[in-house]
Amino acid sequence: MTALVIEPHGPGWFSHSLSTGRCGTVDQPDMKRSFVLVSVVTAAAAVVLHSVPARAQVPSPLAGIWTLNKALSEVQRDVGFNVNWLPPPSGDDQSRGSNAGGRGRRGSTGRGGNGGSAAPFSARPESYEDARRVQLLTAEVRNPPVRLMVVDTPAAITITNELGQSRTLHPDGKQESIDVQGVPISVTTNRDGDRVVVTYHVEQDRELRYTFSRSASPSQLVVDVQFVERGAGDKARHVYQPGVEAAAPTATGAGTAPPSSNQHPPDTFDQRPGAELSGLKSLGIVVEDLSAQAIACGLNHDSIENALSKRLTDGGFAVRKNSDEDTYVYANVMTTSVSDGTCVSRYDVFLYTHATAKLSYRDQSVLVQVSLMHRGGIGSSASTAHAAAVVRGLQNYVDLVVTQIHDANK
């Protein structure tokens, strides 16, 4: 007799097989019952196969390999979080500090906001990890990956850059912790239709929001980024076009020129996080000359230099004062005062070094100044307390430099 066996074969899929065997002599009623059973089962199978839709997963519009189109992208060089003015700006007025330059007074002033009554100087409390999160995530926005490979499944989204660094996110709306260069960062991922919204919780009242979307014509992966602070903030847009993986190298054959004996293998370098700080034991320190307004607000060049030098010495470094040779700490303070006598200062600490580099527009290597680290802030206070507050802020930033160098040398 012949029997039809129906077995489940994964969700939404079925397989069937016919098994045939000799059952001996049977009477006509048994044959009828067998025929009826087979007919019923066959009909049921047909109904099931017809009524259950195939559950093949719909491909994600974000999945694929994407290459950055710099011409279509929109990223301001100084995009980032606002500097925390004190007192805080009123209304919608926002103020931002911009990076000061190196030695030679190449700095630029920040864009001022409306003031208010003077308040005791205090900066946003920021731990070493907070500072690193701001630094790492801001750098990713300003210098986005050149290539992305996106693998998108219902349970997880994995994004890999051209360096092979991967980040796996779970679009369930729950906060999770990921590791970026040794720094833990809380992140929440949600789906909004075909879009994916990733929110990095940088520090208190500061978030970095990525929105991934796909345009069909032309085919593009559009990544909109916003620094969210007090409900607003800077924006950037990274536009990626479909790309393909680089072809694997093939063996030299007919029609392929063998490599020249003059060619040199590509230079290798230490890619570990913080490798540029490893081995630092001696640092110079340069404090930029103060303006007349800074002196009027109680600031003193030698006091600042001595206070910062002591922080470096206590951190175990040999310190060279007023030296910008090799690697050095550069401190710059720009001060102004408002009509009620309140002093306002922008203060920055840089860690600079020198290196030779091959620039795209030069045919040989040149000596360049490299900024390894930068922290800066703005604060306001009465003139009687301003100097101490600025020195305290500079010391905190030098402490961050010391801590980061120590971490790199562990």
Side-chain angles (χ1 to χ4, degrees), residues 181-203:
Q181 296 190 27
V183 179
I185 300 179
S186 296
V187 60
T188 304
T189 307
N190 294 280
R191 293 191 187 275
D192 181 11
D194 288 339
R195 303 189 308 167
V196 171
V197 180
V198 181
T199 303
Y200 294 92
H201 308 285
V202 184
E203 55 184 347

Side-chain angles (χ1 to χ4, degrees), residues 21-230:
R22 297 182 180 274
C23 300
T25 304
V26 293
D27 56 16
Q28 188 66 22
D30 288 339
M31 289 293 292
K32 289 181 179 179
R33 284 194 297 271
S34 299
F35 176 77
V36 170
L37 176 60
V38 172
S39 300
V40 170
V41 174
T42 303
V47 171
V48 170
L49 289 172
H50 180 72
S51 61
V52 177
R55 295 183 184 176
Q57 182 180 344
V58 177
S60 164
L62 307 181
I65 299 173
W66 304 92
T67 301
L68 180 68
N69 187 320
K70 293 184 178 180
L72 298 179
S73 299
E74 302 171 8
V75 183
Q76 296 294 327
R77 186 174 61 179
D78 62 346
V79 66
F81 288 108
N82 293 328
V83 177
N84 189 33
W85 280 88
L86 286 178
S90 60
D92 294 330
D93 189 27
Q94 299 288 339
S95 58
R96 158 189 300 284
S98 59
N99 291 353
R103 193 170 191 183
R105 297 180 179 86
R106 292 177 289 125
S108 59
T109 59
R111 297 190 293 274
N114 291 338
S117 59
F121 176 81
S122 62
R124 172 191 295 273
E126 190 173 45
S127 66
Y128 168 68
E129 285 191 349
D130 287 341
R132 283 290 287 158
R133 274 191 286 270
V134 172
Q135 181 186 42
L136 291 171
L137 293 176
T138 301
E140 286 184 351
V141 178
R142 295 178 180 176
N143 301 286
V146 175
R147 178 166 295 178
L148 293 178
M149 182 174 70
V150 181
V151 178
D152 186 4
T153 67
I157 302 170
T158 301
I159 303 174
T160 306
N161 64 18
E162 70 273 12
L163 300 178
Q165 299 167 329
S166 295
R167 191 171 301 173
T168 299
L169 308 167
H170 300 88
D172 54 11
K174 299 179 180 178
Q175 188 167 311
E176 59 182 323
S177 179
I178 63 173
D179 184 273
V180 178
Q181 296 190 27
V183 179
I185 300 179
S186 296
V187 60
T188 304
T189 307
N190 294 280
R191 293 191 187 275
D192 181 11
D194 288 339
R195 303 189 308 167
V196 171
V197 180
V198 181
T199 303
Y200 294 92
H201 308 285
V202 184
E203 55 184 347
Q204 184 179 2
D205 300 325
R206 284 182 168 181
E207 294 181 343
L208 186 61
R209 183 179 303 150
Y210 279 74
T211 301
F212 295 80
S213 60
R214 169 78 177 268
S215 66
S217 181
S219 180
Q220 293 175 341
L221 175 67
V222 179
V223 185
D224 289 303
V225 189
Q226 182 175 12
F227 291 80
V228 181
E229 187 175 22
R230 299 188 186 97

Side-chain angles (χ1 to χ4, degrees), residues 307-318:
L308 302 187
S309 297
K310 185 177 187 306
R311 278 295 210 269
L312 294 173
T313 302
D314 292 346
F317 295 96

Side-chain angles (χ1 to χ4, degrees), residues 313-327:
T313 302
D314 292 346
F317 295 96
V319 179
R320 309 179 308 274
K321 287 187 178 181
N322 196 31
S323 172
D324 58 0
E325 297 176 0
D326 199 6
T327 306

Side-chain angles (χ1 to χ4, degrees), residues 339-394:
S339 57
D340 64 356
T342 300
C343 295
V344 181
S345 288
R346 164 83 199 203
Y347 54 94
D348 294 87
V349 169
F350 292 81
L351 180 63
Y352 281 120
T353 193
H354 300 93
T356 56
K358 183 68 176 294
L359 305 176
S360 61
Y361 51 88
R362 291 295 305 272
D363 56 359
Q364 64 181 99
S365 298
V366 295
L367 183 66
V368 296
Q369 184 185 62
V370 181
S371 176
L372 299 177
M373 203 181 312
H374 167 236
R375 299 301 299 165
I378 298 177
S380 63
S381 62
S383 59
T384 54
H386 194 67
V390 170
V391 171
R392 189 163 55 248
L394 290 169

